[in-house]
């Protein structure tokens, strides 16, 4: 799916209803359903376009994959992405956009476009993220106020997708979103290991790290250690907690520089690595603190790279949404970056297995309010990534 680069204006739908469809003019798509016609102005940039599944109106209720384009408060669909021949469409103002429970068959993520006394459309997306993005755009187009904004208005609805009301205090988002009762600082490391060295790397890590962290002089706790199972292969992920913030971090680093066993460990480990990177993180105030847990579990690390300036809004929405993901105790921890790549969020989840993960995530969509969280947070994201990870033997998170 592709977002349009400009904000969108509405046409006068009252005039359209009174006068009926206009006769086609050059370089304008005319369509409706069959010979009935509505017009799409090719000079107005689309808000969004992409593939969706459309349920046929015949008795068989078959699914057909169609290319949809949202432009000027109207949803159009085509047979393919060339957009050469329109197949149908409808003006959205006055329509209700509603999420349905996930289906057990494809397409799984369903929603309806419905209006009293008119035909309802049942559409399906291929992922919850695509569903959220379409819901966000369609609901704004269907709003009765949708056509009241001009293309250049400061309060255009398109801008409102990205900026909502937040705490007006003048303060860094790290102070507004992190836990006040603790001064914990977290470090996450990603090590890309030579494929032939992964077993040796794991053995060396499991031998040396527990010795270091059993020393009370080091104000550093081992939170979790994993190998990536699905995602970037031959990768190790480590998470540490420094109780006492930056002073504790510097104290620990200075002591390690004097530790011969640690220096030998780093030298031997360096021969096994292709690359490594790290980030310093704070934990969100509304998330669980990651505590040791018994296994066996698999862990999912979902990483979101946000648009600059949207971290507070992300926190506002997830502070309300986290309650929908607590029933199965799958929430382990939520963090945001302070040093390293910025505007990065990490959510850490635990599941018994991949099937449990699937069932738990589907259950969230059946809870009233979860779709609203997706509705508001998807437009804040630039990119996202999911890693499925297996804990090492020494990991407190098993």
């Amino acid at each position: 799916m592709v977002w349009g680069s400009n904000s969108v204006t509405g046409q006068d739908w009252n005039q359209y209803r009174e006068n009926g469809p206009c006769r086609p003019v050059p370089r304008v798509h005319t369509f409706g359903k069959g010979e009935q016609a509505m017009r799409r102005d090719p000079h107005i940039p689309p808000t969004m376009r992409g593939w969706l599944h459309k349920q046929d109106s015949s008795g068989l209720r078959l699914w057909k994959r169609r290319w949809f384009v949202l432009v000027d408060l109207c949803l159009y669909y085509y047979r393919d992405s060339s957009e050469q021949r329109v197949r149908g469409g409808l003006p959205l103002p006055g329509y209700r956009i509603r999420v349905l429970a996930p289906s057990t068959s494809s397409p799984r993520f369903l929603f309806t476009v419905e209006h009293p006394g008119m035909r309802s459309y049942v559409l399906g997306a291929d992922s919850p993220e695509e569903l959220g993005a379409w819901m966000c755009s369609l609901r704004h187009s269907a709003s009765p106020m949708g056509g009241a904004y001009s293309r250049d208005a400061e309060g255009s609805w398109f801008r409102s997708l990205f900026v909502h009301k937040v705490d007006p205090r003048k303060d860094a988002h790290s102070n507004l979103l992190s836990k006040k009762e603790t001064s914990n600082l977290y470090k996450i490391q990603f090590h890309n290991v030579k494929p032939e060295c992964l077993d040796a790397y794991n053995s060396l890590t499991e031998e040396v790290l527990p010795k270091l962290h059993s020393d009370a002089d080091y104000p550093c706790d081992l939170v979790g250690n994993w190998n990536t199972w699905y995602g970037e292969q031959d990768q190790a992920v480590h998470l540490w907690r420094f109780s006492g913030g930056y002073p504790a971090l510097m104290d620990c680093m200075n002591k390690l520089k004097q530790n011969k066993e640690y220096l030998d460990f780093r030298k031997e480990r360096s021969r096994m690595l292709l690359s490594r990177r790290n980030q310093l993180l704070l934990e969100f105030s509304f998330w669980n603190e990651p505590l040791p847990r018994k296994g066996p579990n698999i862990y999912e690390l979902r990483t979101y790279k946000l648009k600059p300036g949207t971290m507070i809004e992300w926190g506002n929405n997830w502070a309300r949404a986290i309650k929908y993901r607590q029933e199965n105790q799958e929430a382990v921890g939520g963090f945001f970056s302070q040093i390293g790549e910025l505007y990065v969020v990490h959510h850490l989840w635990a599941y018994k297995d991949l099937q449990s993960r699937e069932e738990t995530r589907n259950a969230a969509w059946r809870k009233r309010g979860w779709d609203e969280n997706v509705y508001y947070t998807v437009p804040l994201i630039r990119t996202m990534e999911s890693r499925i990870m297996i804990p090492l033997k020494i990991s407190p998170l098993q």
Side-chain angles (χ1 to χ4, degrees):
M1 59 189 176
V2 183
W3 288 87
S5 59
N6 298 313
S7 57
V8 179
T9 62
Q11 291 181 338
D12 188 348
W13 294 107
N14 290 328
Q15 180 179 355
Y16 170 78
R17 286 193 292 267
E18 292 173 2
N19 299 334
C22 300
R23 286 180 294 177
V25 296
R27 300 183 66 186
V28 173
H29 292 295
T30 65
F31 73 99
K33 185 70 174 176
E35 295 300 321
Q36 299 179 4
M38 269 179 50
R39 299 194 305 154
R40 171 185 168 187
D41 187 340
H43 302 293
I44 298 179
T47 305
M48 189 173 177
R49 48 159 60 100
W51 291 104
L52 288 171
H53 301 270
K54 173 181 167 293
Q55 191 174 62
D56 192 46
S57 57
S58 66
L60 296 177
R61 301 293 181 184
L62 300 176
W63 289 98
K64 296 180 179 178
R65 195 165 182 255
R66 293 288 183 256
W67 181 259
F68 280 78
V69 180
L70 176 61
V71 58
D72 202 32
L73 308 185
C74 187
L75 183 64
Y76 302 81
Y77 63 91
Y78 299 79
R79 188 179 294 276
D80 55 49
S81 59
S82 66
E83 301 181 17
Q84 293 299 311
R85 182 182 176 187
V86 295
R87 306 294 298 178
L90 68 159
L92 289 171
Y95 274 79
R96 181 188 180 198
I97 318 298
R98 184 168 60 90
V99 174
L100 301 178
S103 172
T104 56
S105 58
S106 183
R108 299 190 48 235
F109 304 99
L110 308 179
F111 63 97
T112 63
V113 182
E114 54 193 24
H115 193 289
M118 302 181 70
R119 178 193 168 187
S120 295
Y121 291 80
V122 182
L123 305 175
D126 290 323
S127 71
E129 291 76 24
E130 289 186 8
L131 172 66
W134 278 108
M135 292 291 294
C136 182
S137 294
L138 294 175
R139 280 177 169 170
H140 277 86
S141 295
S143 168
M145 295 298 294
Y149 296 90
S150 68
R151 184 191 301 260
D152 300 317
E154 286 296 320
S156 70
W157 68 263
F158 191 74
R159 285 197 186 96
S160 74
L161 300 184
F162 305 97
V163 182
H164 299 284
K165 293 181 179 179
V166 296
D167 192 328
R169 290 177 293 174
K170 302 296 184 182
D171 206 348
H173 67 247
S174 59
N175 294 330
L176 296 175
L177 295 173
S178 60
K179 291 184 178 179
K180 303 296 187 297
E181 65 275 14
T182 67
S183 56
N184 291 335
L185 180 69
Y186 291 82
K187 181 173 75 170
I188 190 167
Q189 280 193 335
F190 300 93
H191 288 172
N192 291 318
V193 185
K194 296 176 182 178
E196 66 274 15
C197 297
L198 185 60
D199 289 340
Y201 171 93
N202 288 340
S203 297
L204 180 65
T205 299
E206 292 170 345
E207 176 186 353
V208 176
L209 286 188
K211 297 179 184 177
L212 296 175
H213 292 284
S214 63
D215 191 335
D217 288 339
Y218 292 92
C220 176
D221 299 318
L222 197 61
V223 178
N225 311 81
W226 302 269
N227 285 150
T228 299
W229 184 22
Y230 287 103
E232 196 163 356
Q233 296 291 283
D234 303 309
Q235 186 180 72
V237 181
H238 305 281
L239 184 63
W240 286 273
R241 180 193 299 113
F242 295 88
S243 301
Y246 291 107
L249 170 68
M250 296 309 300
D251 183 31
C252 188
M253 294 299 101
N254 290 332
K255 289 178 177 177
L256 287 175
K257 289 178 182 178
Q258 309 301 320
N259 187 310
K260 185 179 184 303
E261 184 178 15
Y262 176 72
L263 295 177
D264 291 341
F265 162 70
R266 285 197 55 169
K267 185 176 180 180
E268 185 175 355
R269 187 189 65 183
S270 66
R271 302 189 186 102
M272 306 178 185
L273 298 180
L274 294 171
S275 64
R276 59 195 179 104
R277 62 186 175 90
N278 59 21
Q279 293 173 337
L280 293 182
L281 315 171
L282 293 177
E283 55 185 329
F284 284 110
S285 60
F286 47 85
W287 265 81
N288 316 47
E289 182 173 344
L291 299 174
R293 66 171 66 196
K294 297 180 180 179
N297 295 294
I298 63 170
Y299 290 81
E300 181 176 20
L301 182 66
R302 294 181 73 88
T303 300
Y304 304 88
K305 297 180 181 179
L306 306 185
K307 296 179 174 68
T310 61
M311 185 66 74
I312 290 179
E313 184 172 356
W314 178 274
N316 285 347
N317 282 285
W318 268 97
R320 294 188 295 269
I322 190 63
K323 63 183 179 182
Y324 301 112
R325 299 297 305 275
Q326 296 282 17
E327 287 184 4
N328 297 317
Q329 298 182 337
E330 69 267 26
V332 177
F335 314 91
F336 58 98
S337 61
Q338 283 291 284
I339 295 179
E341 189 172 6
L342 299 178
Y343 284 96
V344 176
V345 170
H346 299 287
H347 289 176
L348 185 61
W349 309 91
Y351 305 99
K352 291 182 179 179
D353 49 39
L354 289 175
Q355 182 60 36
S356 171
R357 171 187 177 273
E358 182 81 354
E359 293 170 355
T360 301
R361 287 174 56 81
N362 286 343
W365 284 96
R366 293 191 287 269
K367 297 173 183 175
R368 184 177 180 86
W370 175 251
D371 61 325
E372 183 178 349
N373 173 60
V374 176
Y375 170 86
Y376 282 115
T377 55
V378 166
L380 310 179
I381 301 170
R382 277 185 165 175
T383 63
M384 57 189 296
E385 181 181 6
S386 171
R387 290 177 176 84
I388 301 297
M389 307 184 302
I390 304 295
L392 299 184
K393 295 177 182 178
I394 61 170
S395 177
L397 290 169
Q398 284 293 312

